[in-house]
Amino acid sequence: MEILVINGPNLNMLGTREPDIYGSDTYEDLCNMISEHCEKEGINVSFFQSNHEGSIVDRIQEALTDGTDGIVINPAAYTHTSVAILDALKAVRIPTVEVHISDVDEREEFRKHSFVSLIALETIKGKGFEGYLMAVDFLKNYIADERSAD
Ligand code: CA2
């Protein structure tokens, strides 16, 4: 099983600013934590982080032909603005789970709306880095169920 983890703008800055909201661990720590979890679960994982909307759209489109079975995405600020990322996820039709480190419902009003939620099977928010592991587990079960139904 191949899972692609996509992180949007500024998440490469994790651990350097706003530790009260996003914690003090870095983006590298996040990738290591997800990799260790996936190794235990027998899942192949790859990572993509970009500060550019079009690059994220391109990477989602590539997932159509690179064997990706499931996508975990934290679109960061693009969550609240990007119809392009929503359309790319709709186009590839790969099972997707949306993750937010913070609880976006408890913050500013503009963070309450997510375009990606319209396509995501599940949205996990406010669980810190652990939310990414929960998303991986959700996809693992979902994809296994889909395969056994075939
Ligand atoms: O809670 C989340 O995971 C967010 O997706 C993070 C986004 C924010 O725009 C969303 O509303 C909620 C922001 C990511 C910025 O990350 C930083 C990390 C460290 C330092 C500065 C920014």
Side-chain angles (χ1 to χ4, degrees):
M1 193 176 290
E2 305 278 342
I3 289 183
L4 169 64
V5 179
I6 299 176
N7 279 290
N10 297 309
L11 286 164
N12 56 318
M13 303 273 290
L14 281 170
T16 65
R17 302 268 192 289
E18 303 191 82
D20 46 322
I21 303 176
Y22 302 115
S24 51
D25 289 334
T26 64
Y27 175 70
E28 195 185 342
D29 294 331
L30 173 65
C31 295
N32 288 337
M33 182 179 168
I34 300 169
S35 292
E36 278 172 28
H37 183 72
C38 286
E39 201 176 320
K40 275 189 220 139
E41 297 293 329
I43 294 166
N44 291 327
V45 65
S46 53
F47 298 96
F48 182 76
Q49 189 279 327
S50 177
N51 296 327
H52 306 280
E53 186 176 23
S55 303
I56 295 171
V57 169
D58 288 344
R59 185 64 191 89
I60 292 167
Q61 289 185 13
E62 275 169 37
L64 199 53
T65 51
D66 73 358
T68 297
D69 298 301
I71 296 175
V72 173
I73 186 165
N74 181 348
Y78 291 138
T79 307
H80 318 297
T81 62
S82 182
V83 177
I85 291 174
L86 169 66
D87 284 347
L89 291 167
K90 275 188 170 171
V92 299
R93 300 182 65 193
I94 294 171
T96 296
V97 175
E98 175 186 8
V99 173
H100 298 288
I101 296 167
S102 65
D103 187 348
V104 279
D105 292 335
E106 299 297 324
R107 298 181 63 191
E108 301 95 324
E109 201 59 32
F110 69 86
R111 295 190 202 272
K112 290 185 183 159
H113 178 261
S114 164
F115 283 100
V116 169
S117 287
L118 297 171
I119 186 79
L121 294 168
E122 186 79 11
T123 298
I124 298 166
K125 35 194 160 187
K127 304 285 182 199
F129 285 10
E130 187 70 27
Y132 289 83
L133 310 188
M134 293 164 73
V136 165
D137 291 344
F138 180 97
L139 281 173
K140 187 186 177 194
N141 292 332
Y142 181 87
I143 294 162
D145 286 353
E146 256 192 340
R147 285 180 182 171
S148 64
D150 285 346

